[in-house]
Structures are given as C-alpha cells and as structure tokens.
Amino acid sequence: MTLLLSSVLLGLMWFAATNAVASLLAWLLGRSVMSRMARAPKRQSAQLLLAIRLLPAAASWLFVLAVFLPAHWRFEPPDTEESFGVVLAGTATLGLLLILHAGWRAIRAGFAGHRFAEIARRAARQVDPDCVEHQVLELKGLRGISLAGIWQPKIFIGPEALAALTSTELDLAIAHEIAHRQSHDNLKRFAMCCAPDFFGRTSVARRLEQQWQAEAECDADAHAVRGDDSRAVALASALVKVARLERVDGLRAASPAFSAFHVPTLLELRVRRLVADSALPSSARGWMWRLGAT
C-alpha cells in the first residue's frame, strides 16, 4: 500500500474517531449549558455557544492535519505492506461520508447564494446614502432587511421596509446589520450548517444553534443601541414595524449565509431586552479559555 493511500484511509479513520469523541464531549458540554439555562435563564455568550457547536469539526480537522498526517509522513516507511480490517475500513467510510455530506451542504448554500447574487445584481439599486450612515441596496420582493453573503455580505432592504421606517429607525436597523457583518455572523452560521460532525444531528446541537442565533441577534442589537435608551426604543419600534410587513421572510430560507433583521421567534425576546435596558453584549468570560484548553 502506498504512503498516499494509507494516509488518506488512516486520515479518514482518525477524522471519524476523533469526531465521535469530540461530539460526545460537545454533547455533554451543550447539555450542561442548556440545563443551566433552564434552571436560571440568563444571557449566554454567543462565542461560547459557537465554540461548543463547532468543537467536533474543529478538533477532527486539527488532529488529522496537525498531528496525524505530519507524524505519518515523517515516520511511516513509504513501502510498508499494510492491510485494513472491517472496523478500520468502516470507520474511514464514516469519515468520508461526514466530509462529503458537509461538502454537499456547502455547495448547495453556495449555489443558493450565487442565484441570489445574480438576482440582486439585476434588480437591486443603491439607496440614497444621505438617508443612512451606511449605504444599502434596495431590492424589490424583499419585505424586510437582510444581510446576504459570506465573504463580502451586503445589506438589502425591501421597498416596504424603506417606506415604513423613519430615518432614525432605518439608521438603527442598518447599524444592527453592520454589527452582524463586523462579527462575521453569516460565516459562523455557514460554518455551523456545513460542519462535518456527528454532533450536528442531535437535539442538543440544534438547541445550541437556536440559542446562538438569539444571542447573536441581541448582541447586534446592543452594538446598534450603544446603551442609549432612546435608540433602544427606536430599534424596538423598527423591529415591530418590519415584523408587521411579513411574518416570515422567504428570502432568508434560500441560504444559511443570509441573516434577517426580523426573526419571528426572537421578536418578543429582543423587544423585551431592548425596552428593559438589558440589551448588553454577552461575554465569554473565562469559559473560552477553559474550552480552548480542553
């Protein structure tokens, strides 16, 4: 067996094995965080939730690329005769399936984003930059506001939302989307959608993703408001107005790389935090250091 073939097969095997162990660890950590939130509901760090969700995929890639392959190429004789049993072959197959499934999801998301980009290129027009601090694109057919794209996301607003919001409300809505763009939230959402892991098929992982979205939205609200009560009230008003335009924005379902200003399931939570003066950015505190050490 050639060194290249053994590297591929053993790399896939170690990817699946490491993924399984890290998925169990992520499941235990995620369950602990969810249980703690159920007992005492409070803000959680979006960074912590994201780190737990991506732990299996990150650990698997790190171990295979940084530990196994360099050691294998350094110490394995190139002409070693080697055979694989059923267990190793089956584990390698699982690793390959995980990577192929993640690749397929990434390709689908990429095509969806490309189709939207073509539509936007033909139909979108630039909003007058004098009405807001940052330029946005107006897109017919979109009722709300959305940040679309991964590497260079753009802010789109529908004509109805543009007409319904006051200049102050529009400024804050755009500031909310700019906060998402600065935090690379679309890229994070894409990474969770396409992460090759066993953990993603569990209910704990889905709950972590939902909670991450809630905290990411509230963090973006907090950065837009900047601790100002009047800005908080105006942003809450903008949320309610956009929610009345359309309960579910159909554009957002086109790709995991899209984020919508109005998320129906989070409307009450965000408005309550804004009017209660609790829209403060979450903090990872020491959790991020402990998780990184793990």
Side-chain angles (χ1 to χ4, degrees), residues 18-19 21-30 48-62 195-197 199 208 291-292 294:
T18 307
N19 202 295
V21 174
S23 291
L24 177 59
L25 176 61
W27 184 82
L28 292 173
L29 289 172
L48 171 64
L49 299 172
L50 178 70
I52 296 175
R53 175 62 188 89
L54 296 180
L55 174 62
S60 302
W61 284 118
L62 180 65
D197 56 25
F199 179 51
L208 278 176
L291 188 61
T294 302

Side-chain angles (χ1 to χ4, degrees), residues 233-267:
V233 173
L235 181 57
S237 175
L239 277 169
V240 174
K241 287 182 178 180
V242 174
R244 288 172 177 168
L245 293 176
E246 187 174 34
R247 295 184 61 85
V248 179
D249 189 350
L251 174 64
R252 187 174 180 276
S255 171
F258 294 169
S259 64
F261 175 66
H262 163 242
V263 181
T265 56
L266 301 178
L267 178 62

Side-chain angles (χ1 to χ4, degrees), residues 210-248:
Q210 294 168 359
Q211 189 62 36
W212 174 85
Q213 183 182 29
E215 298 301 337
E217 292 295 336
C218 290
D219 282 350
D221 288 341
H223 284 93
V225 169
R226 301 199 299 268
D228 189 302
D229 292 341
S230 61
R231 290 173 65 89
V233 173
L235 181 57
S237 175
L239 277 169
V240 174
K241 287 182 178 180
V242 174
R244 288 172 177 168
L245 293 176
E246 187 174 34
R247 295 184 61 85
V248 179

Side-chain angles (χ1 to χ4, degrees), residues 11 120 166 183 200 222 274 286:
T166 66
S183 298
L274 285 168

Side-chain angles (χ1 to χ4, degrees), residues 138-153:
E138 181 182 355
L139 181 62
K140 293 182 179 179
L142 175 64
R143 292 184 178 274
I145 305 172
S146 179
L147 180 70
I150 301 174
W151 306 114
Q152 294 180 329

